[in-house]
Amino acid sequence: MGIGSLILTVLFALTVIGGSVYLLGAVIAMWRSPDAMSRLNQLSAGITVGVPALVVGNVILEFDQGTMTWGKGLTALLAIAALLGVATIASEVLGRAVLGARDGSGDDDK
């Protein structure tokens, strides 16, 4: 095992363990949050940081194994970009739905 492979293995471990711990922290924070709006904020933070770290860890592993291609790298970049876009929009929509349900403006029978 060369020094380069050792460095990549350590980077892989740090990104995967870091992403997993961040997601676990978000889950614990969601569990302890007092209301739905706070839970949505915790979910958004966990998804936008923890999951991309796991994708980056997978890219590092593919590179270390020698199976990394341009297509896999592009797929990882697109996955992270799509994840950040979808998580942002979903958090906004869910937040509006929670606030509408809370103040009564989401009722259809008016």
Side-chain angles (χ1 to χ4, degrees), residues 6 61 74 93:
L6 181 65
L61 180 65
L74 182 62
V93 170

Side-chain angles (χ1 to χ4, degrees), residues 8-98:
L8 288 174
T9 302
V10 169
L11 283 175
F12 167 73
L14 287 175
T15 56
V16 170
I17 293 171
S20 299
V21 167
Y22 199 89
L23 283 172
L24 179 64
V27 167
I28 292 171
M30 283 174 58
W31 186 263
R32 294 181 178 178
S33 294
D35 61 348
M37 196 64 182
S38 299
R39 288 182 180 147
L40 287 174
N41 289 331
Q42 299 301 328
L43 174 68
S44 179
I47 295 295
T48 57
V49 176
V51 178
L54 295 175
V55 172
V56 169
N58 187 32
V59 168
I60 292 170
L61 180 65
E62 293 277 341
F63 185 77
D64 186 35
Q65 292 176 343
T67 59
M68 185 66 184
T69 61
W70 287 104
K72 289 180 181 179
L74 182 62
T75 302
L77 286 175
L78 289 174
I80 291 173
L83 178 73
L84 294 177
V86 168
T88 303
I89 294 168
S91 178
E92 176 73 20
V93 170
L94 288 171
R96 286 178 183 244
V98 167

